[in-house]
Amino acid sequence: MPPLKISRFYIFIAIILILLTGCRASATPTFTAAAPTTPTTVVTELPPTLEMKAEPGAPGLGDSLYPHLGNAGYDVQHYTLDLTVNDVATSDLEGTTIIEARATQNLSSFNLDFIGFEITTILVNDKPAEFQRSWQELTVTPPGVLAENEPFTVEVQYQGSPGEMDSMAIQIQTGWITFDGGSFVLSEPDGAASFYPVNDHPLDKATYTFRVTVPEPFEAAANGVLKETIDNGDTTTFLFEARDPMASYLATVNIDEFDLETSQSEGGVPIRNYYPSGLPEEMRKPFARQGEMIDYFSDLFGDYPFELYGALVIDLEFGAALETQTLSIFSKAMIDANQPEGSEQVVAHELAHQWFGDSVSLADWRDIWLNESFATYAQGLWTEHTRGREELDEWVRRLYAFVREERESMSPPGEPPGDRLFNQGVYSWGALCLHALRLEVGDENFFDILKTYHERFADGNARTADFIAVAEEVSGKELSAFFDSWLYSEELAPIPGMGLEAK
Ligand code: TRP
Ligand code: ZN
């Protein structure tokens, strides 16, 4: 569901965008033919020698809404975050992030995205490197050139407390947030840089290790599998491994005192839920059917994409939930005991994102409807599964009426503005597009489309054009006019099969 009411002042830093969009030409190796040798008996030409020419990696990946996010010139395989939190009340911490990457060009320097903290040392391939900082751009200049295709490691050591991070996309604070009693991380789309140096764009997915040390009696929870808990006396270290490729904004570290609840879906997917200790029983109820949901969505979308799943509840009353990979996060307002049906829908929504958003990730933030509309429509699918087709139709009618009424506050699903990325156009309007597609191609084709799309792009990235191509391929229909009218037109398209029209 869309994050609601944390009111914070929002600053759109347009100047920075303009400053950072200039991409520099990528390195081209030059070939110099060797001087011909003096002919004796045999004349041979020596092979051309490669003269290594290196250039800085570009400071952005050219996202159409946020061109400065991420960096070019390298590809990260793995992050190891080693965080020692000395004071939970302020999140004062010492951090070491080790990045294992591969150069995709000859690099004289490269950028990471990282905000705040005092950086004490940066090592590249274990040798001290120079660095410069300018807002979220951290430019690292290693002692020698990093050759194209070669692996390299970067170790960044830092200390301090994560700063506040004003997202340019959404009117809430993103990243690592400290509250009275603990801390949590919600980073979509640009908060990851608030607690680790990162190539911050979903195009560069990587695996993660989290090693988090917290003072007693606190506990830490992160993405992936808890491999080890080490009792150091006054502190405890929690070691998590996330072995599936993950977009940077989905990385999360949460600190609190938890009640851990473990189970398994019937289909065998392990579930572990982290509740803040003492969370009332009725606030745990919305999660009771997660196992059933996992198995049902696995039938519809293809096997659950990761090793395990679970929910984590933040001990705070505000409205936000995020599909952090393998461990979705919910604030207490999202699982309101007075609205059990709505709460269960939020649980279904974040779970569906594990397929659409997490396993299949965006290649460009403008295509956010590929995440949000799919997760929203999955709420309808869960309603249909539990309460029947008529209830789904009712749900669609209500959604249609809502979009028609609130049309002015929404963007067409395929064209969200950069400063209101998560407006209802990409949730509700886009979910209607999926229902209309279902009626257009028939149930069998529709579910085949969802499965094929997931299967083809699992652990990778997709664009709107990729989804349309799958829909056309599977259904055998030409759908460009259909998708144009649903994704890019300013007018809400009709759903003739249900007698729904915008006027
Ligand atoms: N993707 C979230 C959802 O499930 C919404 C969201 C985007 C969000 N950015 C966020 C939630 C930051 C909390 C914090 O709809
Ligand atoms: Zn969502």
Side-chain angles (χ1 to χ4, degrees), residues 6 46 365 434:
I6 306 185
L46 292 177
W365 281 109
L434 291 175

Tab-separated table of all heavy atoms in Angstrom, residues 6 46 365 434:
chain	number	residue	atom	x	y	z
A	6	ILE	N	3.556	10.036	7.043
A	6	ILE	CA	4.603	10.679	7.810
A	6	ILE	C	4.704	12.035	7.165
A	6	ILE	O	5.060	12.121	6.014
A	6	ILE	CB	5.987	10.058	7.590
A	6	ILE	CG1	5.942	8.583	7.858
A	6	ILE	CG2	7.003	10.726	8.460
A	6	ILE	CD1	7.305	7.972	7.778
A	46	LEU	N	53.815	-7.852	-36.055
A	46	LEU	CA	53.514	-8.177	-34.665
A	46	LEU	C	52.048	-7.861	-34.371
A	46	LEU	O	51.462	-6.982	-34.984
A	46	LEU	CB	54.415	-7.370	-33.733
A	46	LEU	CG	55.895	-7.726	-33.768
A	46	LEU	CD1	56.660	-6.796	-32.840
A	46	LEU	CD2	56.099	-9.179	-33.349
A	365	TRP	N	12.996	3.404	-13.123
A	365	TRP	CA	11.983	3.723	-12.107
A	365	TRP	C	10.654	4.178	-12.701
A	365	TRP	O	9.615	4.053	-12.088
A	365	TRP	CB	12.511	4.771	-11.118
A	365	TRP	CG	13.426	4.173	-10.099
A	365	TRP	CD1	14.782	4.333	-10.001
A	365	TRP	CD2	13.055	3.291	-9.023
A	365	TRP	NE1	15.268	3.609	-8.945
A	365	TRP	CE2	14.234	2.961	-8.327
A	365	TRP	CE3	11.837	2.749	-8.588
A	365	TRP	CZ2	14.231	2.120	-7.205
A	365	TRP	CZ3	11.839	1.907	-7.476
A	365	TRP	CH2	13.024	1.609	-6.807
A	434	LEU	N	-4.554	-4.244	-15.451
A	434	LEU	CA	-4.330	-5.695	-15.439
A	434	LEU	C	-5.646	-6.469	-15.486
A	434	LEU	O	-5.748	-7.493	-16.151
A	434	LEU	CB	-3.498	-6.098	-14.214
A	434	LEU	CG	-2.046	-5.616	-14.277
A	434	LEU	CD1	-1.313	-5.935	-12.976
A	434	LEU	CD2	-1.301	-6.239	-15.467
